[in-house]
Amino acid sequence: MPIAGIYGPDDFGPVHGQPAAHTRSRVSPAVRAPALPMPSLEWTPEVERSTAHLYERVKNVVSPVEWPFMAPYIKAINELKKTRDAVILAHNYQTPEIFHCVADIGGDSLQLAVEATKVKSSVIVQCGVHFMAETSKILNPHKTVLIPDSRAGCSLASSITGADVRLLRERFPGVPVVAYVNTSADVKAEVDICCTSSNALQVVESLNAPTVIFLPDQYLAKYVASKTDVKIIAWKGACEVHERFTGDELRAYREADPSVQIIAHPECPPDVLAEADFTGSTAHMINWVRDKRPRRLVMITECSMADNVRAELPDVEMVRPCNLCPHMKRITLPKILESLIYLREEVTVDPLIAEKARRSVERMINLKN
Ligand code: SF4
């Protein structure tokens, strides 16, 4: 069914973008425990020996020239995790040396949200973007949640505020609101339920409503609308990485090699999805590759995911139109190390906002279970 309408900040005038001061989550440099000494970062025979098993995991995508610069950080981070009683959660878009060598749990935002509820460690280091760290804090209010670089934002999360959701509710009274997890805590607190790209259709249909407001990704909204009879009212947000792909680009890959397989993320525009052999979330894309083992593959999503898959499945040749997420790439090994040494930067969410946002996230998680 076509989208019933797409709204954006211009439709609501100057109120957009003005969340109440108490609704903003904060990142503080607060240090609850003393900083630890900086470990040695020299490349030594001992570092080489103790990280050899980790290099095995990434040798297809990290060259032997690069490894001596990474390995000392990896060794230090893995040791500091124990000292700090910390767990590292890494999104699929993190680089291979982070995803395969220091992360305890990797996955898409749904997997990370679910795993965040099970961790026993007192500290969570979120290798991803800010809304993911906020979600971990919302689900783990008594744990210390750190993000190695608080500037790691997201064009979707910054496209809408809680005030915008309230205005949408005034315009469409009684219509339930679904928020993609790529939103701030302030927005999650105002909606009925959250979703990810893995479960967006299931969440929309679970509401048993003829019309649903779906925000903030207009392309994911269009994709869901194409799969359901529920009328979808969308928001004008977009992922700055996925909206840059074009159908022409995909057709050129297919003309160059008609046997190539193309898989795409539903945050891409409709003309891109129309050219793809498969559309799915990052987790669904990875499962598809594991299952089908294509000879040559174009993965229409953030670049690092292709590296992470290739590290695991070297027989799959990746043909990559490379779009990097500048926010995800703010997270690096040196910043993760500093995060553990200084316990920074700590993500906090106002408890009243967190309580309301938790309901929306847990409603989604319980639906899955
Ligand atoms: S890839 Fe897109 S949706 Fe994901 S964090 Fe970057 S800007 Fe946000």
Side-chain angles (χ1 to χ4, degrees):
M1 180 180 282
I3 284 273
I6 303 186
Y7 292 80
D10 299 343
D11 298 300
F12 297 113
V15 189
H16 166 76
Q18 302 299 320
H22 74 279
T23 65
R24 291 190 202 112
S25 81
R26 295 184 304 278
V27 175
S28 78
V31 176
R32 292 181 183 176
L36 296 170
M38 178 65 75
S40 163
L41 294 170
E42 272 181 64
W43 170 243
T44 63
E46 159 58 9
V47 172
E48 183 173 15
R49 189 195 57 73
S50 63
T51 59
H53 65 294
L54 296 172
Y55 187 58
E56 277 302 301
R57 296 184 190 171
V58 293
K59 65 182 182 191
N60 299 311
V61 288
V62 173
S63 73
V65 177
E66 293 171 291
W67 186 246
F69 295 96
M70 296 175 176
Y73 283 96
I74 289 167
K75 180 173 184 290
I77 289 168
N78 285 330
E79 287 172 357
L80 275 176
K81 278 196 300 191
K82 292 183 197 135
T83 312
R84 289 298 198 193
D85 186 29
V87 66
I88 294 184
L89 307 184
H91 188 264
N92 288 322
Y93 295 163
Q94 292 294 295
T95 49
E97 69 278 10
I98 294 173
F99 190 82
H100 288 290
C101 300
V102 299
D104 299 287
I105 298 160
D108 67 7
S109 35
L110 176 61
Q111 291 166 324
L112 296 182
V114 172
E115 293 303 325
T117 64
K118 299 179 190 162
V119 299
K120 298 274 185 284
S121 311
S122 55
V123 175
I124 295 172
V125 181
Q126 191 87 34
C127 294
V129 295
H130 188 261
F131 76 80
M132 295 177 182
E134 267 193 346
T135 308
S136 289
K137 183 64 185 178
I138 288 165
L139 294 173
N140 295 276
H142 305 300
K143 294 183 192 294
T144 300
V145 176
L146 307 174
I147 185 160
D149 189 329
S150 63
R151 295 169 301 168
C154 170
S155 63
L156 280 170
S158 62
S159 73
I160 189 162
T161 66
D164 293 324
V165 182
R166 290 192 289 277
L167 290 167
L168 278 166
R169 282 203 190 273
E170 276 171 27
R171 174 100 37 123
F172 301 102
V175 177
V177 185
V178 176
Y180 194 21
V181 283
N182 298 33
T183 45
S184 64
D186 178 31
V187 167
K188 289 184 175 81
E190 296 291 337
V191 305
D192 296 287
I193 186 167
C194 288
C195 77
T196 70
S197 50
S198 292
N199 61 18
L201 178 62
Q202 183 197 1
V203 168
V204 164
E205 296 194 331
S206 76
L207 296 170
N208 291 320
T211 307
V212 165
I213 298 170
F214 186 98
L215 53 89
D217 186 348
Q218 59 181 298
Y219 298 122
L220 183 59
K222 283 180 183 164
Y223 177 69
V224 171
S226 75
K227 302 277 176 203
T228 182
D229 292 331
V230 178
K231 224 197 248 180
I232 302 285
I233 295 166
W235 185 254
K236 276 181 193 154
C239 162
E240 66 187 85
V241 175
H242 291 95
E243 74 171 344
R244 295 210 309 270
F245 293 107
T246 65
D248 285 347
E249 199 178 352
L250 270 62
R251 279 186 286 279
Y253 281 106
R254 222 186 272 288
E255 273 164 30
D257 177 3
S259 74
V260 81
Q261 293 286 294
I262 301 178
I263 61 176
H265 193 278
E267 288 171 13
C268 295
D271 67 321
V272 172
L273 301 187
E275 291 297 325
D277 298 300
F278 174 76
T279 297
S281 67
T282 54
H284 290 159
M285 288 165 101
I286 291 168
N287 288 339
W288 186 93
V289 184
R290 283 182 184 141
D291 183 38
K292 304 280 183 208
R293 294 292 182 102
R295 187 181 59 83
R296 297 190 83 219
L297 177 67
V298 181
M299 238 182 184
I300 302 295
T301 188
E302 210 271 352
C303 260
S304 289
M305 197 168 100
D307 287 334
N308 288 329
V309 171
R310 206 173 137 247
E312 180 190 328
L313 303 169
D315 50 316
V316 178
E317 185 192 340
M318 295 288 176
V319 184
R320 287 184 301 162
C322 217
N323 285 351
L324 285 168
C325 172
H327 311 292
M328 288 280 180
K329 295 294 141 343
R330 284 189 183 278
I331 309 299
T332 60
L333 289 174
K335 287 182 191 166
I336 298 169
L337 181 63
E338 289 193 358
S339 189
L340 285 164
I341 288 175
Y342 301 108
L343 287 183
R344 73 182 186 205
E345 301 179 40
E346 185 177 1
V347 176
T348 58
V349 181
D350 181 287
L352 291 177
I353 299 297
E355 193 185 325
K356 287 170 77 184
R358 193 176 310 120
R359 259 181 257 143
S360 306
V361 178
E362 286 181 344
R363 197 170 167 198
M364 167 189 75
I365 291 172
N366 294 338
L367 188 69
K368 180 176 185 284
N369 293 337

